[in-house]
Amino acid sequence: MGILVGIVNKAICIVFVCALVNARMQEVTTIEKYEDIDVHLSSFIKKDDSIAILLDYDGTLAPLASHPSLTVMEAESRDALKKLSTQPNVFLAVISGRAVDDVKAKVPFDNLTYAGNHGLEILYPNGSRFQYEVSAELKSNFTKMVEELEEKVGKRGGWVENKLASLSYHYRGVPEELHQELSADARKIIQSFGYVDSQAHLAIEAKPPVHWNKGEAALLILKDKFGSDWATHVKAVFAGDDTTDEDAMKALKGKGMTFRVSASPQIKTYADYRVPSTKTVSYLLQWFVHHQL
């Protein structure tokens, strides 16, 4: 009887934990119009507040393209970021899956902090860098993993984006009937070298098995800039479009305001709100320009 009670109690605990997770990651209100953005941000941010704006790049500041090199930032977002980068009460950071120097080249403004490789590397405005160190074994495995991926799934339009600390296997250019096969093969290869695979937009990400992600990077960036008590005197806003951005949304839950960029109204997210496109992100940035300058 005691064993049966234990099993029942364990099952109840599992159901309870699942319920808590689902309560956190759920469908959220969609904000699409500038007027709606105004209503929600005005209730959160006042005229003289210090503001930290943290943004993903691909799919957030720039629409996704057939190749990472072809992405172009929304013109309105570019103009808004350029203006905001000169304001003393506004702090800007871009947290991307790209290599850090790559994302800086895509968003080339002064006074920005850049995080690349999902936060494994951070470049500060003064030129100093943070690098999350992984073991020698993982570094050696990374090189072997890149070689095997290129050999076995780097075909029929598939290719490996080597970002030195992490990588993306892109299969957007692969015939659709081969998507499932090649992406599954890529996952197996990634796992065989001890790396963690995750789904992106028609790509598989490979990251080292460490407790570090965009959420940890966002918290470190905010702490470095504003101190460990940053949440008491800074209004933080984050926007991102992918599963890796959920780590930042989860980390900032209850401490800032976050937005998930997704065209699907059924998207489940840790974010506070959903916005349907990069165009709406540009409205978000324009709001800051109009109300803070």
Side-chain angles (χ1 to χ4, degrees):
M1 178 64 73
I3 295 175
L4 179 60
V5 170
I7 293 173
V8 170
N9 286 339
K10 184 176 181 180
I12 292 172
C13 288
I14 291 172
V15 171
F16 179 66
V17 169
C18 289
L20 285 178
V21 171
N22 288 333
R24 296 191 195 102
M25 180 173 265
Q26 57 191 359
E27 293 177 23
V28 295
T29 301
T30 298
I31 298 177
E32 186 167 4
K33 297 178 181 178
Y34 182 89
E35 293 76 14
D36 296 330
I37 291 173
D38 184 34
V39 169
H40 291 283
L41 281 180
S42 294
S43 66
F44 178 60
I45 296 173
K46 305 307 177 186
K47 181 68 176 178
D48 296 325
D49 284 343
S50 293
I51 305 162
I53 306 172
L54 301 91
L55 304 158
D56 176 42
Y57 174 73
D58 293 282
T60 302
L61 286 171
L64 298 173
S66 59
H67 192 281
S69 64
L70 300 178
T71 59
V72 178
M73 222 187 317
E74 293 277 4
E76 296 84 358
S77 293
R78 174 180 288 273
D79 292 343
L81 285 175
K82 186 174 182 179
K83 292 174 182 176
L84 291 168
S85 68
T86 66
Q87 299 307 303
N89 69 318
V90 178
F91 171 77
L92 295 172
V94 182
I95 305 178
S96 172
R98 290 174 179 255
V100 71
D101 293 313
D102 184 12
V103 72
K104 180 181 179 181
K106 287 291 187 180
V107 193
F109 302 120
D110 294 333
N111 304 318
L112 267 67
T113 295
Y114 302 92
N117 276 295
H118 308 285
L120 292 171
E121 50 181 353
I122 300 173
L123 175 61
Y124 294 96
N126 64 4
S128 64
R129 290 176 181 253
F130 163 87
Q131 182 75 46
Y132 191 99
E133 288 297 327
V134 299
S135 68
E137 181 183 5
L138 279 173
K139 288 180 180 178
S140 175
N141 281 354
F142 183 84
T143 301
K144 298 172 186 175
M145 177 174 61
V146 171
E147 292 173 352
E148 187 162 333
L149 284 167
E150 289 177 339
E151 177 186 351
K152 294 186 176 179
V153 294
K155 57 188 177 181
R156 301 296 301 275
W159 63 283
V160 178
E161 182 184 3
N162 182 352
K163 297 175 284 190
L164 301 182
S166 71
L167 65 80
S168 298
Y169 169 65
H170 296 271
Y171 57 92
R172 185 181 299 274
V174 171
E176 190 170 351
E177 63 270 18
L178 294 177
H179 280 190
Q180 184 173 353
E181 176 187 342
L182 291 182
S183 63
D185 288 346
R187 286 182 183 276
K188 290 176 184 177
I189 293 169
I190 290 166
Q191 293 167 11
S192 73
F193 285 100
Y195 276 70
V196 178
D197 61 289
S198 62
Q199 185 67 48
H201 296 291
L202 294 178
I204 304 297
E205 304 277 5
K207 293 171 287 185
V210 296
H211 180 62
W212 196 260
N213 51 46
K214 287 187 176 184
E216 297 294 333
L219 294 177
L220 176 62
I221 288 169
L222 289 167
K223 180 181 177 182
D224 284 348
K225 177 64 178 179
F226 301 105
S228 57
D229 63 341
W230 64 267
T232 65
H233 56 274
V234 176
K235 297 298 178 67
V237 173
F238 176 84
D241 76 306
D242 212 340
T243 53
T244 57
D245 296 306
E246 290 290 341
D247 291 317
M249 296 163 190
K250 186 177 181 180
L252 295 173
K253 196 74 175 176
K255 300 177 182 178
M257 183 176 285
T258 58
F259 299 84
R260 175 69 187 264
V261 185
S262 173
S264 171
Q266 285 81 41
I267 185 71
K268 284 184 168 57
T269 177
Y270 286 104
D272 298 300
Y273 300 99
R274 183 185 76 89
V275 294
S277 68
T278 57
K279 181 64 66 176
T280 318
V281 174
S282 74
Y283 294 157
L284 184 70
L285 294 174
Q286 290 171 58
W287 184 91
F288 284 109
V289 170
H290 294 156
H291 289 76
Q292 301 302 314
L293 303 190

